[in-house]
Amino acid sequence: MTHILHRQIGHTYPVAANGQGVVIRDADGKAYIDASGGAAVSCLGHGHPDVLAAMHDQLDRLAYAHTSFFTSQVAEELADDLVAHAPAGIGHVFYLSGGSEAVEAALKLARQYFVERGEPQREKIIARRQSYHGITLGALAIGGREKQRAQFAPLLFETHHVSPAYEYRDRRADETPEQYGARLAEELEAKIAELGGENVMAFVAETVVGATLGAVPAVPGYFSRVRKICDRHGILLILDEVMCGMGRTGTLYACEQEGISPDLIAIAKGLGGGFAPIGALLMQERVFATIAAGSGAFQHSHTYMGHPLACAAALAVQRVIRRDDLLANVRRQGAYLSRRLKERFGNHPCVGDVRGRGLFQGLELVTDRDTKAAFDPKLKLHARVKQEAMARGLMVYPTGGNVDGVAGDNVLLAPPFIVDAPTVDTIVERLGDSIDAAIRTAGVGG
Ligand SMILES: Cc1ncc(COP(=O)(O)O)c(C=O)c1O
């Protein structure tokens, strides 16, 4: 009997006992290839000796000092490091302990920025459907996963949602990807016009959509159009790179590949690589300068922000990524993973699409490749895939709701940046078997 309120009550979870490299072992000694980094977290895999050494070293010196009394050397060094490698104009960092916290902080900083700039009427937020920005009330309010929002709707502040950039389902046959992106930009313009450009505070989007759509990048030109629209109306562009950032797509920030720099960026997950809980909000210098010249304090804080042990882990992760040139491996193995997935699933009757960037790849499951019809959500096909994969010693991250927030099944892959080609082969082979078995046991298709 467990006293933990687990994610799924009644489900028996294996006990994770140790982890090394790309493998986690349970208490019975069974090995699982971590092909999803948990939820795109463990970017260096498990037990990385350099990260552990940096954490031990920090622990021996100082585990914790409250940020209303002190700063710490390691927190300062990490901020210097993050700013030095951030998109253009980013000048300061605000520490948090996870992704939802980083998104909440982004929303509050955006609001405070406009209040202090003398634009208190800016209070409206536009985000996108089928997005996930976190589970706390503010992050849930802007998110677009209907299933997660429904029962909490009375507690959520009003957010205005537009379409995601979801080429596989929403680009019309008579449109080029660029034309589709232009149509989405027009939709955003229309939403801004409806709300009044002077009333809109922020537009929030995941640069590459993670858990809800399954590694879906935007179409070419979409984000540069969005950037221009936000600039024209004085709206802050907040990019949620909690999942897709910190190297996952082959560049440190996913928005580098879009050629834009946002006003605020939320990061977490790969920042600490799972060695410690840490998130951060990165901001353009002019946002910082407004608060600095105004009230002089962002009215937001948490007890554990800037935790020295978490900062030591994150700094070590960043240094290992650079020292070992791991982003090159993300691009190389990402391309290989994408090729192998397309070979294995390119003609699979129940896989409609393979997409992604770097070591952030997704598959979309459909009952029919021509109609793209989704499986009945009651079948919980994504959960079956996860179960079958675990039985085969493979961790992947399948989720549902990509079609409309409820229907649709996809499988997300986010292996550690240290993965090699033979492991990629094993991942694809086990995933193929798992998907086939899930479809068989659900008694559908295939
Ligand atoms: C894009 C995105 N934003 C925010 C979050 C929330 O992060 P956390 O679970 O660390 O609160 C997640 C988590 O999956 C995410 O994928």
Side-chain angles (χ1 to χ4, degrees):
M1 221 277 276
T2 176
H3 289 99
I4 299 176
L5 170 49
H6 282 290
R7 284 178 179 241
Q8 190 61 55
I9 298 171
H11 179 79
T12 307
Y13 293 87
V15 178
N18 57 67
Q20 203 56 52
V22 297
V23 169
I24 289 186
R25 278 178 203 279
D26 70 17
D28 297 328
K30 177 170 174 176
Y32 305 80
I33 297 178
D34 187 356
S36 56
V41 174
S42 303
C43 56
L44 295 187
H46 302 274
H48 197 290
D50 298 310
V51 182
L52 298 188
M55 292 177 76
H56 284 299
D57 185 49
Q58 183 60 44
L59 260 185
D60 288 339
R61 282 189 280 154
L62 175 76
Y64 176 70
H66 193 274
T67 47
S68 72
F69 298 88
F70 294 105
T71 184
S72 67
Q73 193 187 327
V74 70
E76 297 290 345
E77 279 180 36
L78 176 62
D80 292 348
D81 189 278
L82 290 173
V83 167
H85 299 94
I90 296 291
H92 278 80
V93 175
F94 185 79
Y95 287 124
L96 299 131
S97 300
S100 303
E101 281 189 10
V103 170
E104 295 281 341
L107 301 178
K108 285 181 69 181
L109 185 62
R111 171 67 188 157
Q112 191 174 332
Y113 166 74
F114 283 120
V115 170
E116 299 205 8
R117 266 174 66 92
E119 296 181 76
Q121 82 289 350
R122 284 198 191 259
E123 57 182 36
K124 299 195 187 301
I125 300 169
I126 304 175
R128 303 189 302 181
R129 289 187 287 277
Q130 291 115 294
S131 58
Y132 183 64
H133 296 296
I135 209 74
T136 50
L137 290 176
L140 196 60
I142 63 165
R145 259 177 160 178
E146 276 322 306
K147 211 171 138 206
Q148 270 168 338
R149 290 164 50 94
Q151 66 174 326
F152 300 107
L155 309 183
L156 305 179
F157 59 75
E158 188 185 27
T159 302
H160 306 271
H161 288 104
V162 293
S163 305
Y166 189 6
E167 184 180 5
Y168 170 64
R169 285 198 176 269
D170 295 345
R171 178 167 69 83
R172 292 194 307 249
D174 64 348
E175 280 175 328
T176 63
E178 287 78 7
Q179 286 166 339
Y180 169 52
R183 173 158 66 86
L184 292 172
E186 277 166 27
E187 184 188 340
L188 177 60
E189 276 280 19
K191 181 55 80 179
I192 292 170
E194 179 193 319
L195 300 172
E198 70 287 3
N199 300 321
V200 180
M201 182 175 109
F203 175 65
V204 191
E206 293 166 74
T207 318
V208 178
V209 183
T212 308
L213 292 188
V216 173
V219 283
Y222 168 81
F223 271 113
S224 56
R225 288 176 199 273
V226 165
R227 178 69 275 183
K228 285 195 191 106
I229 292 170
C230 288
D231 286 344
R232 199 172 325 121
H233 295 282
I235 295 168
L236 292 184
L237 173 59
I238 302 176
L239 289 186
D240 180 346
E241 297 215 356
V242 167
M243 207 177 225
C244 63
M246 304 324 284
R248 178 59 48 207
T249 64
T251 46
L252 193 57
Y253 294 87
C255 61
E256 290 172 42
Q257 294 173 55
E258 305 298 338
I260 59 153
S261 187
D263 299 296
L264 302 174
I265 315 174
I267 55 173
K269 294 191 188 275
L271 174 61
F275 293 95
I278 183 166
L281 175 64
L282 280 68
M283 66 201 77
Q284 285 289 326
E285 197 52 15
R286 72 188 160 84
V287 175
F288 170 83
T290 301
I291 310 282
S295 67
F298 177 30
Q299 269 189 31
H300 193 76
S301 62
H302 291 280
T303 300
Y304 285 122
M305 59 195 274
H307 194 288
L309 187 60
C311 290
L315 185 58
V317 167
Q318 289 311 298
R319 287 179 172 162
V320 169
I321 289 174
R322 274 200 299 280
R323 184 196 67 195
D324 296 350
D325 198 14
L326 287 178
L327 296 190
N329 198 52
V330 172
R331 292 190 288 271
R332 192 167 46 242
Q333 296 304 333
Y336 183 60
L337 175 61
S338 167
R339 176 159 74 77
R340 293 290 289 109
L341 289 171
K342 284 176 179 153
E343 281 165 10
R344 175 65 177 84
F345 298 107
N347 292 313
H348 194 289
C350 296
V351 176
D353 193 30
V354 178
R355 67 276 182 125
R357 276 196 188 150
L359 284 174
F360 199 43
Q361 298 283 325
L363 305 180
E364 183 156 340
L365 305 177
V366 290
T367 60
D368 181 312
R369 288 164 65 98
D370 294 329
T371 65
K372 301 182 184 176
F375 285 96
D376 181 348
K378 287 200 201 80
L379 290 172
K380 289 195 182 339
L381 193 65
H382 56 279
R384 289 174 191 268
V385 172
K386 184 172 179 181
Q387 198 184 335
E388 294 292 346
M390 285 293 277
R392 289 165 175 77
L394 179 70
M395 291 164 61
V396 291
Y397 199 70
T399 58
N402 44 278
V403 175
D404 55 6
V406 180
D409 298 275
N410 64 82
V411 183
L412 188 69
L413 294 162
F417 301 175
I418 54 170
V419 76
D420 57 18
T423 309
V424 167
D425 290 338
T426 310
I427 290 170
V428 174
E429 188 190 318
R430 290 188 193 175
L431 178 61
D433 293 346
S434 306
I435 289 177
D436 290 343
I439 290 166
R440 215 168 36 244
T441 59
V444 287

